[in-house]
Amino acid sequence: MADLRDLVRDRLREVLDPETGRDLVAMGMIYAIAEEAGHVTIVMTTTTRGCPLTEMLRQGVEAAVSRLDGVCVVEVRLTWDPPWTPDRMEPA
Amino acid sequence: MIGKQLSRWTMAWFAAALAFLLAALGLAVLGGAGPGLWSSGPGLAVLHLFALGWLCQMMLGSLIQFTPVLAARPLALARLALPALLACSLGTLMLAGGFLALDGWEPGFALLAAAPLPLALAFGLALAMVGATLLAVRGWRQDAGRAVLAALLALAALWVSGAGMALALSGSDTGMVLLPEGMPLHVLLGVGGWLTLSAIGVSYQLFPMFLLAPDRGSRLRDAGFACALLALALVLAGLAALLLGGGTARLLPLAVLASVAAVALYLAEARRMWQARRRPQPELNMQWSRAALGFLGLSALLGGPALWHGGAWAEAAVFAALVGWLSTLTLAQMVKIASFLTWIQVFSPLIGRRPVPMVHELTDARAAGRWLALWVAAAAGGTAALLAGFAPGFRLAALGLLLAALGLCREVVLIRRLRHLAADRRPALLPPIILPPSPRRPDHDHPRTAGA
């Protein structure tokens, strides 16, 4: 059976950055995924700290992951330390 | 609430500014402005409808929208955005009407004398919103923040010089010392200090975002900003000297020289950002920003001859800066900002819940590109016509600019109505085109999709 963290990561590949059309994982915006007994914690960032989409992206990640089987609670934490840079993007 | 850091009045600022743009260009087509006509009443009216009504209002509206992104906190005193817009529009209309006094329209003198008041209110409110937000986060420590703060200082000085000259033209003794020597200082403060420094500051933040380029400072950037600050300081010193009864003969050439150096360094910095981009095919707004940067270089090249010879050279330099550089940049970014704001208002609540279109799908890049190409060609034609003193050529260029502006206005309306998306991808309820969505009607924040 696949690790729930892998399922979460796969689900986040379905959430697209509306500017570039690339998913949040490929954009390098997902810093960490942790899971314990159905409690999923995601640490993510945005391309700039003042991004107007910040809260909507956080809620979107929460909504996307909470629909996964086996997930009881989703906690999405935002951080800008370290700040996002284009070097974090996966090769196209 | 959706996008709590978004200004609610951005589209209203844009709409008011576009109305002034169309008015200015319409009057230019009718012969209100042209080679050698810029000091006439109608010429000054057209010039200020364009520079103040169009460009200044677009810049203020953009800064009110952009400052929270830069500061990563909501705009301070955001409720002042609408009063600032109303005061700025009123002041622009009064000033433009007032200039007609120079051609014998008697009521114009009172308008000319009173116009600085609503403009002081508008600029003061904008300074309070943008300045307080940036100062609260020590914005002077950021490249973009310090450029915008310096631009706000130039805006205040721009008002002082403009108000003084308006009062002098209205017949008051106040401000007489600014005529005619204060005119080049006023132009440098407006075109260079306020508008160009603001545009450069915003570009430090937005260009790397749009290009996916590393956003890091450089010695080029520091040197360019130092030159820009030096130019601003020299112009401010010139203004102070005039107000104290002195002259600007030595300061003005140095200010122009520092400005040209600042432009050259900024263009080198922009080239570095372009080359470092991770986005192989930049979108329309960045493609056409390159043309704007070309005009910035052209206006800097014309700066020297403009200072020494004045006349047609000065007209062409200012036209290239206002129409070619600042307006092309503004129009290209306006299409992008309209798409982005519309996307946020309509689709952002659906992220992670269902498939959503990409921001660029809201725009017809081909159509918008055609209008921007016409704008750029007409801007080049207008610059050449002014250099040659060829009035019919200038009117033809103005007609091209007017058609391009109308086309881009139509494109913004189509973006706001989501007309470039297939009908089944459009929600049943859309936010208003110009006015902000009512905070009491969450439907606009969470629109129902047609099939839902």
Side-chain angles (χ1 to χ4, degrees):
Chain A
M1 184 180 167
D3 188 316
L4 188 53
R5 284 181 304 178
D6 293 335
L7 296 175
V8 170
R9 186 171 295 274
D10 289 344
R11 177 56 57 90
L12 292 178
R13 285 199 180 275
E14 296 170 15
V15 182
L16 302 183
D17 168 41
E19 260 297 298
T20 60
R22 302 192 68 187
D23 65 79
L24 300 188
V25 177
M27 283 295 290
M29 288 162 61
I30 305 299
Y31 280 3
I33 300 171
E35 186 270 329
E36 189 175 340
H39 186 124
V40 175
T41 305
I42 298 165
V43 181
M44 65 173 289
T45 192
T46 52
T47 54
T48 183
R49 186 169 192 140
C51 174
L53 279 175
T54 299
E55 181 55 21
M56 284 79 93
L57 282 171
R58 192 193 69 74
Q59 290 178 11
V61 165
E62 199 175 85
V65 174
S66 64
R67 293 199 307 274
L68 278 173
D69 288 340
V71 171
C72 305
V73 180
V74 183
E75 186 182 350
V76 182
R77 293 184 198 157
L78 286 160
T79 183
W80 291 273
D81 185 18
W84 182 88
T85 76
D87 295 335
R88 292 187 170 275
M89 291 170 64
E90 291 178 354
Chain B
M1 182 184 170
I2 296 306
K4 62 183 178 185
Q5 293 192 358
L6 294 173
S7 168
R8 292 164 44 76
W9 294 99
T10 302
M11 291 311 301
W13 278 94
F14 285 10
L18 284 167
F20 280 115
L21 172 66
L22 297 178
L25 293 174
L27 291 171
V29 170
L30 295 174
L37 295 177
W38 300 105
S39 55
S40 68
L44 284 168
V46 168
L47 179 61
H48 285 81
L49 286 173
F50 194 94
L52 184 55
W54 156 238
L55 283 171
C56 183
Q57 293 209 139
M58 279 301 280
M59 189 56 77
L60 288 174
S62 300
L63 283 180
I64 287 170
Q65 181 65 68
F66 167 75
T67 300
V69 177
L70 180 59
R73 62 182 291 158
L75 189 74
L77 308 166
R79 287 181 188 173
L80 302 181
L82 179 60
L85 169 60
L86 295 174
C88 199
S89 293
L90 176 66
T92 303
L93 286 171
M94 289 170 66
L95 191 64
F99 282 126
L100 300 181
L102 303 182
D103 280 23
W105 188 55
E106 280 294 325
F109 287 110
L111 288 174
L112 208 49
L117 294 175
L119 291 174
L121 178 64
F123 294 169
L125 295 176
L127 279 166
M129 288 182 281
V130 176
T133 309
L134 288 176
L135 292 176
V137 295
R138 300 181 181 182
W140 62 85
R141 297 187 304 183
Q142 304 169 330
D143 294 334
R146 71 172 71 106
V148 172
L149 285 169
L152 293 178
L153 175 64
L155 176 63
L158 175 70
W159 181 86
V160 170
S161 60
M165 286 191 284
L167 286 173
L169 290 173
S170 73
S172 165
D173 287 341
T174 308
M176 283 302 285
V177 289
L178 292 171
L179 289 175
E181 268 193 277
M183 195 72 80
L185 297 177
H186 184 66
V187 172
L188 277 173
L189 280 169
V191 178
W194 159 230
L195 291 168
T196 294
L197 255 180
S198 296
I200 287 175
V202 173
S203 76
Y204 282 155
Q205 182 87 6
L206 291 187
F207 281 12
M209 282 170 61
F210 290 143
L211 293 170
L212 293 177
D215 181 16
R216 52 178 84 106
S218 68
R219 288 182 181 175
L220 267 179
R221 188 179 292 186
D222 293 342
F225 184 67
C227 288
L229 265 191
L230 175 63
L232 178 58
L234 288 164
V235 173
L236 292 176
L239 181 61
L242 273 188
L243 291 172
L244 295 171
T248 62
R250 290 180 186 170
L251 293 171
L252 204 51
L254 290 174
V256 170
L257 195 63
S259 301
V260 171
V263 166
L265 291 164
Y266 170 67
L267 290 175
E269 165 77 357
R271 184 167 181 267
R272 185 195 65 78
M273 282 192 267
W274 185 271
Q275 289 176 333
R277 74 186 188 279
R278 294 285 293 270
R279 200 163 198 163
Q281 290 184 314
E283 287 184 68
L284 176 93
N285 60 320
M286 290 310 301
Q287 294 285 358
W288 286 98
S289 291
R290 285 193 300 176
L293 292 170
F295 274 106
L296 174 61
L298 174 65
S299 61
L301 285 175
L302 291 170
L307 182 68
W308 302 123
H309 304 298
W313 290 96
E315 291 177 12
V318 174
F319 186 87
L322 290 177
V323 181
W325 151 234
L326 291 161
S327 295
T328 305
L329 182 77
T330 303
L331 287 166
Q333 300 300 340
M334 176 187 75
V335 172
K336 177 70 184 180
I337 294 170
S339 300
F340 191 62
L341 288 181
T342 307
W343 192 95
I344 288 181
Q345 287 176 318
V346 177
F347 294 110
S348 66
L350 306 177
I351 298 176
R353 294 173 173 85
R354 66 184 69 168
V356 289
M358 295 296 101
V359 174
H360 68 83
E361 291 181 78
L362 273 55
T363 305
D364 181 347
R366 190 171 292 180
R370 278 198 295 267
W371 294 122
L372 285 166
L374 176 60
W375 179 274
V376 166
T383 306
L386 285 172
L387 265 179
F390 184 50
F394 182 82
R395 286 177 76 168
L396 184 64
L399 180 62
L401 294 171
L402 179 61
L403 290 175
L406 284 168
L408 289 165
C409 286
R410 179 176 179 273
E411 181 61 24
V412 170
V413 172
L414 295 177
I415 289 169
R416 295 293 290 164
R417 295 295 89 197
L418 298 180
R419 290 297 175 189
H420 300 311
L421 289 181
D424 60 353
R425 300 177 80 191
R426 288 181 222 144
L429 261 174
L430 292 173
I433 294 178
I434 295 173
L435 296 175
S438 166
R440 293 175 193 160
R441 293 183 59 193
D443 282 344
H444 289 309
D445 278 354
H446 300 276
R448 292 187 298 271
T449 51

